[in-house]
Amino acid sequence: MKLLTTLGDLGEAEKLVPIRRSQIAGVSYKTSGDPTLDLLESLAEEGVSAKTHATQNPAGMDLERWSEMGIRQEFADKQHRICTAYEKLGIIASCTCTPYLSGNKPQPGEIVGFSESSAVAYVNSVLGARSNRHGGLDALSAALIGKVPLMGYLLDKNRRPDVLVKSDFRVRSDADYGALGYHIGKNLNMDSVPYIEGLGHASRDELKMLGAASAASGSTALFHVQGLTPEAKSGHCLFRQGRPTETLNVDRRDIARVYEELSSSMRCDLIALGCPHCSLNEIKRISKALQSRTVRSAPRLWVFTSPKVYSEADRRGYVREIKASGADVFKHTCMVVMPIEEIGITSVATNSAKAAFYIPRTTQNRCQAQLLSFERCIALATGS
Ligand code: F3S
């Protein structure tokens, strides 16, 4: 409660308001370590429990197939203890950064307490729900108390755009959406809300890529897309001061520079798809692209998704199809929050701008990255 009221004071919140949903980051042992483990186990011992429908972010490994990934026993033991402690606190072991695809989907206008920046950007922008960009610890506090301070993106006035983004290049791939998001996030001030023109008919999966990258390179927690996202469509999207305070023009050269910046290596040991975690449609697309093709043993192709989407994809035969090609599908984790640098992988090719940004940073440059389109990732994996 102290943490929430202190945050509220800093954000000049009038009061705390009740929430019914939370998403808790800080699950991977790689990113959270022993202090988080100790805190969670001591909270669990005290018998406190979440008052909201609360879900966990990805862990540092596939909780069942971790040894096949090359994860050490000691890491696995501590990772299991973290997930168990969260479960004792009543936080569901969904282990995904796309909780909105796994039963924790806020309604338009609903106030929630989400951490995981890509999920915050998605629920604010694509679903029209309302969340501030919480850290793992304050999202956990909000889940245990069942309240958040009423401030920031929960208020109408802060949801209005201030920067007009004019994109005049033709977005050709999912990686292009990520590159565009990365460029926007990098060039915006904290608390800015972009209104993006010229995106045509991006799918929800493509907006998921855009939002994840803009939240990684900057602090974007909410964006509006002309004619597409709910608040832009409903006309509630008037500029804060009646007109944009700034215009960001994006052309192909800007996007080419992002690819260059996010490609620190031209070789790869692993091709990784699924940041943010793959939706069912994305898994279906991968299975179709690999149908009757063979994935080489080096570089390997790994796909990451949530346990919920994995089960449905398995039921529909997509997982079998992907595995038949020689690729693999893992759940609960991803290429960024698993200790990729400890399992002999020194370079990763990915279609995710967010992953390409974080991989070198979270491995102290022991693993490099390369941003490629989905089609190029598949071609590289199959040697075609
Ligand atoms: Fe999710 Fe991992 Fe990317 S947590 S957004 S897949 S970095």
Side-chain angles (χ1 to χ4, degrees):
M1 180 58 95
K2 257 192 199 165
L3 199 154
L4 294 177
T5 52
T6 305
L7 273 179
D9 288 344
L10 289 170
E12 297 177 0
E14 255 176 59
K15 56 181 179 180
L16 298 177
V17 287
I19 52 165
R20 290 187 297 119
R21 296 176 189 282
S22 317
Q23 166 73 6
I24 316 296
V27 176
S28 164
Y29 178 65
K30 171 182 170 177
T31 53
S32 44
D34 289 319
T36 301
L37 173 58
D38 294 344
L39 171 72
L40 293 172
E41 289 189 333
S42 71
L43 281 171
E45 262 173 40
E46 285 182 34
V48 289
S49 182
K51 292 195 170 56
T52 63
H53 179 81
T55 42
Q56 294 180 30
N57 227 34
M61 61 189 200
D62 187 307
L63 295 175
E64 291 147 12
R65 298 178 56 213
W66 53 271
S67 63
E68 290 173 54
M69 299 183 107
I71 302 288
R72 286 179 295 113
Q73 180 79 50
E74 190 201 347
F75 183 99
D77 290 345
K78 293 199 168 176
Q79 183 61 70
H80 280 127
R81 280 171 57 192
I82 288 181
C83 293
T84 304
Y86 272 125
E87 282 189 84
K88 283 186 183 161
L89 292 169
I91 295 157
I92 301 161
S94 49
C95 294
T96 183
C97 49
T98 57
Y100 44 84
L101 302 177
S102 290
N104 194 4
K105 182 181 176 187
Q107 297 301 307
E110 181 180 348
I111 293 178
V112 298
F114 272 34
S115 48
E116 170 48 47
S117 62
S118 70
V120 171
Y122 190 94
V123 302
N124 273 326
S125 315
V126 181
L127 301 182
R130 298 185 172 207
S131 179
N132 279 310
R133 192 173 151 151
H134 291 285
L137 202 52
D138 45 288
L140 175 62
S141 309
L144 297 177
I145 301 287
K147 292 182 177 179
V148 288
L150 184 63
M151 61 188 209
Y153 295 104
L154 310 188
L155 302 172
D156 285 348
K157 63 177 184 181
N158 298 325
R159 297 182 67 83
R160 291 165 68 174
D162 57 344
V163 176
L164 175 64
V165 178
K166 289 187 166 187
S167 167
D168 68 359
F169 82 100
R170 203 160 66 81
V171 183
R172 293 193 184 89
S173 70
D174 46 2
D176 278 356
Y177 280 99
L180 174 62
Y182 181 89
H183 182 72
I184 293 172
K186 198 174 168 188
N187 284 283
L188 255 52
N189 294 326
M190 211 174 154
D191 301 332
S192 269
V193 176
Y195 181 92
I196 309 168
E197 283 184 356
L199 260 199
H201 297 284
S203 69
R204 287 191 159 199
D205 286 334
E206 288 161 342
L207 295 180
K208 168 163 78 78
M209 298 293 253
L210 186 151
S214 66
S217 62
S219 56
T220 311
L222 166 65
F223 59 90
H224 302 291
V225 179
Q226 182 186 32
L228 211 53
T229 51
E231 285 165 53
K233 278 205 293 196
S234 69
H236 285 136
C237 211
L238 303 174
F239 282 95
R240 282 180 207 175
Q241 297 179 12
R243 58 186 168 71
T245 48
E246 198 189 317
T247 299
L248 178 66
N249 292 298
V250 189
D251 62 27
R252 177 117 311 260
R253 280 167 307 175
D254 296 314
I255 300 304
R257 273 194 292 275
V258 172
Y259 275 87
E260 213 174 290
E261 187 180 327
L262 295 180
S263 297
S264 47
S265 171
M266 287 303 136
R267 46 177 292 278
C268 79
D269 307 321
L270 175 71
I271 300 154
L273 304 173
C275 170
H277 272 171
C278 282
S279 66
L280 192 60
N281 265 341
E282 288 172 313
I283 300 251
K284 180 180 175 186
R285 181 181 181 212
I286 297 167
S287 83
K288 280 200 161 173
L290 294 177
Q291 211 165 33
S292 313
R293 296 171 88 175
T294 303
V295 167
R296 298 182 297 178
S297 54
R300 289 170 275 176
L301 170 60
W302 284 1
V303 177
F304 297 95
T305 191
S306 65
K308 174 99 186 316
V309 168
Y310 183 100
S311 298
E312 184 56 23
D314 199 23
R315 203 180 61 75
R316 297 189 188 203
Y318 306 150
V319 171
R320 193 180 55 243
E321 192 83 56
I322 293 171
K323 288 187 178 179
S325 73
D328 213 334
V329 187
F330 291 104
K331 52 195 183 209
H332 311 120
T333 189
C334 78
M335 60 289 235
V336 174
V337 300
M338 65 177 285
I340 204 161
E341 70 282 20
E342 290 182 13
I343 61 168
I345 292 170
T346 58
S347 48
V348 176
T350 177
N351 62 340
S352 164
K354 172 172 177 173
F357 174 71
Y358 275 124
I359 285 170
R361 285 166 180 79
T362 54
T363 61
Q364 290 76 44
N365 278 319
R366 286 163 64 195
C367 187
Q368 299 302 321
Q370 184 183 176
L371 179 63
L372 298 176
S373 67
F374 173 83
E375 290 74 16
R376 287 194 63 200
C377 285
I378 297 292
L380 189 60
T382 54
S384 54

mmCIF file of all heavy atoms in Angstrom, residues 57-59 96-98 116-119 208 212 274-278 304 333-338 352 354-355 358, ligand 1:
data_model
loop_
_atom_site.group_PDB
_atom_site.id
_atom_site.type_symbol
_atom_site.label_atom_id
_atom_site.label_comp_id
_atom_site.label_asym_id
_atom_site.label_seq_id
_atom_site.Cartn_x
_atom_site.Cartn_y
_atom_site.Cartn_z
ATOM 1 N N ASN A 57 4.039 -12.969 -16.399
ATOM 2 C CA ASN A 57 4.814 -12.756 -17.624
ATOM 3 C C ASN A 57 5.651 -14.013 -17.917
ATOM 4 O O ASN A 57 5.706 -14.930 -17.095
ATOM 5 C CB ASN A 57 5.735 -11.549 -17.395
ATOM 6 C CG ASN A 57 5.701 -10.572 -18.532
ATOM 7 O OD1 ASN A 57 4.667 -10.389 -19.160
ATOM 8 N ND2 ASN A 57 6.817 -9.939 -18.809
ATOM 9 N N PRO A 58 6.352 -14.062 -19.065
ATOM 10 C CA PRO A 58 7.177 -15.240 -19.365
ATOM 11 C C PRO A 58 8.279 -15.510 -18.339
ATOM 12 O O PRO A 58 8.857 -14.591 -17.756
ATOM 13 C CB PRO A 58 7.784 -14.907 -20.727
ATOM 14 C CG PRO A 58 6.795 -13.992 -21.352
ATOM 15 C CD PRO A 58 6.274 -13.145 -20.221
ATOM 16 N N ALA A 59 8.549 -16.793 -18.153
ATOM 17 C CA ALA A 59 9.630 -17.253 -17.281
ATOM 18 C C ALA A 59 10.922 -17.361 -18.108
ATOM 19 O O ALA A 59 10.916 -17.130 -19.315
ATOM 20 C CB ALA A 59 9.243 -18.614 -16.703
ATOM 21 N N THR A 96 3.080 -15.598 -20.060
ATOM 22 C CA THR A 96 3.060 -14.978 -21.382
ATOM 23 C C THR A 96 3.008 -13.458 -21.273
ATOM 24 O O THR A 96 2.463 -12.913 -20.300
ATOM 25 C CB THR A 96 1.875 -15.481 -22.231
ATOM 26 O OG1 THR A 96 1.973 -14.890 -23.528
ATOM 27 C CG2 THR A 96 0.529 -15.136 -21.618
ATOM 28 N N CYS A 97 3.563 -12.802 -22.296
ATOM 29 C CA CYS A 97 3.486 -11.345 -22.373
ATOM 30 C C CYS A 97 2.266 -10.924 -23.179
ATOM 31 O O CYS A 97 2.049 -9.731 -23.412
ATOM 32 C CB CYS A 97 4.758 -10.805 -23.018
ATOM 33 S SG CYS A 97 5.180 -11.674 -24.532
ATOM 34 N N THR A 98 1.476 -11.896 -23.657
ATOM 35 C CA THR A 98 0.236 -11.588 -24.375
ATOM 36 C C THR A 98 -0.948 -12.145 -23.579
ATOM 37 O O THR A 98 -1.691 -12.992 -24.089
ATOM 38 C CB THR A 98 0.252 -12.178 -25.809
ATOM 39 O OG1 THR A 98 0.479 -13.592 -25.706
ATOM 40 C CG2 THR A 98 1.335 -11.570 -26.659
ATOM 41 N N GLU A 116 4.804 -5.188 -17.994
ATOM 42 C CA GLU A 116 5.163 -5.699 -19.317
ATOM 43 C C GLU A 116 4.744 -4.647 -20.349
ATOM 44 O O GLU A 116 3.563 -4.507 -20.717
ATOM 45 C CB GLU A 116 4.515 -7.066 -19.624
ATOM 46 C CG GLU A 116 4.654 -7.551 -21.079
ATOM 47 C CD GLU A 116 6.076 -7.443 -21.625
ATOM 48 O OE1 GLU A 116 7.015 -7.851 -20.933
ATOM 49 O OE2 GLU A 116 6.247 -6.925 -22.750
ATOM 50 N N SER A 117 5.760 -3.893 -20.787
ATOM 51 C CA SER A 117 5.493 -2.705 -21.604
ATOM 52 C C SER A 117 4.747 -3.020 -22.894
ATOM 53 O O SER A 117 3.919 -2.228 -23.342
ATOM 54 C CB SER A 117 6.805 -1.984 -21.906
ATOM 55 O OG SER A 117 7.670 -2.822 -22.644
ATOM 56 N N SER A 118 5.005 -4.190 -23.511
ATOM 57 C CA SER A 118 4.310 -4.492 -24.780
ATOM 58 C C SER A 118 2.826 -4.730 -24.523
ATOM 59 O O SER A 118 1.969 -4.357 -25.327
ATOM 60 C CB SER A 118 4.938 -5.704 -25.474
ATOM 61 O OG SER A 118 4.662 -6.897 -24.755
ATOM 62 N N ALA A 119 2.512 -5.357 -23.390
ATOM 63 C CA ALA A 119 1.106 -5.619 -23.064
ATOM 64 C C ALA A 119 0.392 -4.327 -22.704
ATOM 65 O O ALA A 119 -0.775 -4.129 -23.063
ATOM 66 C CB ALA A 119 1.013 -6.625 -21.918
ATOM 67 N N LYS A 208 0.623 -5.275 -32.539
ATOM 68 C CA LYS A 208 1.332 -5.869 -31.380
ATOM 69 C C LYS A 208 2.849 -5.686 -31.555
ATOM 70 O O LYS A 208 3.555 -5.330 -30.608
ATOM 71 C CB LYS A 208 0.930 -7.355 -31.310
ATOM 72 C CG LYS A 208 1.724 -8.246 -30.401
ATOM 73 C CD LYS A 208 0.975 -9.555 -30.122
ATOM 74 C CE LYS A 208 1.010 -10.593 -31.216
ATOM 75 N NZ LYS A 208 2.241 -11.369 -31.314
ATOM 76 N N ALA A 212 5.095 -3.087 -29.181
ATOM 77 C CA ALA A 212 6.185 -3.673 -28.389
ATOM 78 C C ALA A 212 7.492 -2.929 -28.656
ATOM 79 O O ALA A 212 8.246 -2.609 -27.726
ATOM 80 C CB ALA A 212 6.339 -5.152 -28.734
ATOM 81 N N GLY A 274 8.423 -14.928 -32.352
ATOM 82 C CA GLY A 274 7.504 -14.986 -31.208
ATOM 83 C C GLY A 274 7.802 -13.966 -30.140
ATOM 84 O O GLY A 274 7.731 -14.274 -28.949
ATOM 85 N N CYS A 275 8.126 -12.745 -30.538
ATOM 86 C CA CYS A 275 8.257 -11.628 -29.591
ATOM 87 C C CYS A 275 7.459 -10.460 -30.144
ATOM 88 O O CYS A 275 7.830 -9.932 -31.193
ATOM 89 C CB CYS A 275 9.707 -11.218 -29.396
ATOM 90 S SG CYS A 275 9.880 -9.662 -28.458
ATOM 91 N N PRO A 276 6.378 -10.028 -29.469
ATOM 92 C CA PRO A 276 5.705 -10.693 -28.366
ATOM 93 C C PRO A 276 5.241 -12.111 -28.747
ATOM 94 O O PRO A 276 5.185 -12.447 -29.932
ATOM 95 C CB PRO A 276 4.491 -9.799 -28.089
ATOM 96 C CG PRO A 276 4.886 -8.448 -28.646
ATOM 97 C CD PRO A 276 5.749 -8.728 -29.810
ATOM 98 N N HIS A 277 4.894 -12.893 -27.734
ATOM 99 C CA HIS A 277 4.487 -14.278 -27.961
ATOM 100 C C HIS A 277 3.514 -14.405 -29.125
ATOM 101 O O HIS A 277 2.581 -13.605 -29.266
ATOM 102 C CB HIS A 277 3.813 -14.830 -26.692
ATOM 103 C CG HIS A 277 4.782 -15.438 -25.730
ATOM 104 N ND1 HIS A 277 4.418 -15.830 -24.470
ATOM 105 C CD2 HIS A 277 6.100 -15.764 -25.856
ATOM 106 C CE1 HIS A 277 5.471 -16.356 -23.846
ATOM 107 N NE2 HIS A 277 6.497 -16.305 -24.675
ATOM 108 N N CYS A 278 3.724 -15.454 -29.934
ATOM 109 C CA CYS A 278 2.889 -15.660 -31.129
ATOM 110 C C CYS A 278 1.420 -15.844 -30.778
ATOM 111 O O CYS A 278 1.070 -16.549 -29.827
ATOM 112 C CB CYS A 278 3.333 -16.924 -31.865
ATOM 113 S SG CYS A 278 4.803 -16.712 -32.848
ATOM 114 N N PHE A 304 8.231 -19.086 -30.132
ATOM 115 C CA PHE A 304 7.837 -18.902 -28.721
ATOM 116 C C PHE A 304 6.382 -18.456 -28.634
ATOM 117 O O PHE A 304 5.956 -17.555 -29.364
ATOM 118 C CB PHE A 304 8.735 -17.863 -28.043
ATOM 119 C CG PHE A 304 10.177 -18.295 -27.982
ATOM 120 C CD1 PHE A 304 11.079 -17.883 -28.961
ATOM 121 C CD2 PHE A 304 10.619 -19.131 -26.966
ATOM 122 C CE1 PHE A 304 12.407 -18.289 -28.918
ATOM 123 C CE2 PHE A 304 11.953 -19.540 -26.919
ATOM 124 C CZ PHE A 304 12.845 -19.121 -27.899
ATOM 125 N N THR A 333 8.328 -19.014 -22.245
ATOM 126 C CA THR A 333 9.544 -18.189 -22.250
ATOM 127 C C THR A 333 9.739 -17.491 -23.591
ATOM 128 O O THR A 333 8.875 -17.584 -24.480
ATOM 129 C CB THR A 333 10.762 -19.065 -21.896
ATOM 130 O OG1 THR A 333 11.901 -18.227 -21.695
ATOM 131 C CG2 THR A 333 11.061 -20.094 -22.973
ATOM 132 N N CYS A 334 10.853 -16.804 -23.752
ATOM 133 C CA CYS A 334 11.174 -16.183 -25.043
ATOM 134 C C CYS A 334 12.690 -16.008 -25.169
ATOM 135 O O CYS A 334 13.429 -16.223 -24.216
ATOM 136 C CB CYS A 334 10.480 -14.833 -25.188
ATOM 137 S SG CYS A 334 11.286 -13.499 -24.281
ATOM 138 N N MET A 335 13.101 -15.578 -26.371
ATOM 139 C CA MET A 335 14.527 -15.436 -26.680
ATOM 140 C C MET A 335 15.216 -14.340 -25.877
ATOM 141 O O MET A 335 16.444 -14.283 -25.833
ATOM 142 C CB MET A 335 14.711 -15.183 -28.185
ATOM 143 C CG MET A 335 14.040 -13.944 -28.758
ATOM 144 S SD MET A 335 12.246 -14.147 -28.819
ATOM 145 C CE MET A 335 11.846 -13.845 -30.512
ATOM 146 N N VAL A 336 14.444 -13.453 -25.237
ATOM 147 C CA VAL A 336 15.060 -12.360 -24.473
ATOM 148 C C VAL A 336 15.164 -12.706 -22.990
ATOM 149 O O VAL A 336 16.205 -12.455 -22.361
ATOM 150 C CB VAL A 336 14.253 -11.049 -24.661
ATOM 151 C CG1 VAL A 336 14.792 -9.935 -23.763
ATOM 152 C CG2 VAL A 336 14.292 -10.601 -26.111
ATOM 153 N N VAL A 337 14.111 -13.286 -22.421
ATOM 154 C CA VAL A 337 14.148 -13.512 -20.969
ATOM 155 C C VAL A 337 14.745 -14.863 -20.579
ATOM 156 O O VAL A 337 14.932 -15.137 -19.401
ATOM 157 C CB VAL A 337 12.756 -13.306 -20.302
ATOM 158 C CG1 VAL A 337 12.252 -11.889 -20.534
ATOM 159 C CG2 VAL A 337 11.742 -14.327 -20.781
ATOM 160 N N MET A 338 15.033 -15.728 -21.551
ATOM 161 C CA MET A 338 15.771 -16.958 -21.222
ATOM 162 C C MET A 338 17.272 -16.638 -21.258
ATOM 163 O O MET A 338 17.690 -15.681 -21.929
ATOM 164 C CB MET A 338 15.430 -18.089 -22.195
ATOM 165 C CG MET A 338 15.857 -17.841 -23.621
ATOM 166 S SD MET A 338 15.513 -19.232 -24.709
ATOM 167 C CE MET A 338 16.795 -20.377 -24.209
ATOM 168 N N SER A 352 11.465 -9.568 -34.816
ATOM 169 C CA SER A 352 10.970 -8.651 -33.781
ATOM 170 C C SER A 352 11.986 -7.552 -33.477
ATOM 171 O O SER A 352 13.101 -7.829 -33.007
ATOM 172 C CB SER A 352 10.692 -9.443 -32.495
ATOM 173 O OG SER A 352 10.581 -8.560 -31.403
ATOM 174 N N LYS A 354 11.725 -5.453 -31.078
ATOM 175 C CA LYS A 354 11.927 -5.419 -29.625
ATOM 176 C C LYS A 354 13.008 -6.424 -29.226
ATOM 177 O O LYS A 354 13.912 -6.105 -28.462
ATOM 178 C CB LYS A 354 10.621 -5.725 -28.889
ATOM 179 C CG LYS A 354 10.849 -5.877 -27.390
ATOM 180 C CD LYS A 354 9.592 -5.995 -26.566
ATOM 181 C CE LYS A 354 9.966 -6.212 -25.088
ATOM 182 N NZ LYS A 354 8.838 -6.190 -24.181
ATOM 183 N N ALA A 355 12.918 -7.643 -29.741
ATOM 184 C CA ALA A 355 13.906 -8.667 -29.384
ATOM 185 C C ALA A 355 15.289 -8.281 -29.894
ATOM 186 O O ALA A 355 16.288 -8.424 -29.177
ATOM 187 C CB ALA A 355 13.478 -10.023 -29.927
ATOM 188 N N TYR A 358 16.734 -5.790 -27.480
ATOM 189 C CA TYR A 358 17.086 -6.239 -26.127
ATOM 190 C C TYR A 358 18.142 -7.344 -26.080
ATOM 191 O O TYR A 358 18.857 -7.457 -25.082
ATOM 192 C CB TYR A 358 15.836 -6.722 -25.382
ATOM 193 C CG TYR A 358 15.096 -5.579 -24.708
ATOM 194 C CD1 TYR A 358 13.755 -5.336 -24.978
ATOM 195 C CD2 TYR A 358 15.739 -4.748 -23.791
ATOM 196 C CE1 TYR A 358 13.070 -4.288 -24.368
ATOM 197 C CE2 TYR A 358 15.070 -3.702 -23.177
ATOM 198 C CZ TYR A 358 13.735 -3.477 -23.467
ATOM 199 O OH TYR A 358 13.078 -2.442 -22.861
HETATM 200 FE FE1 F3S B 1 7.410 -10.944 -24.692
HETATM 201 FE FE2 F3S B 1 9.870 -11.698 -24.385
HETATM 202 FE FE3 F3S B 1 9.232 -10.072 -26.310
HETATM 203 S S1 F3S B 1 8.501 -11.174 -22.778
HETATM 204 S S2 F3S B 1 7.476 -8.915 -25.610
HETATM 205 S S3 F3S B 1 8.530 -12.194 -26.096
HETATM 206 S S4 F3S B 1 10.947 -9.837 -24.973
#
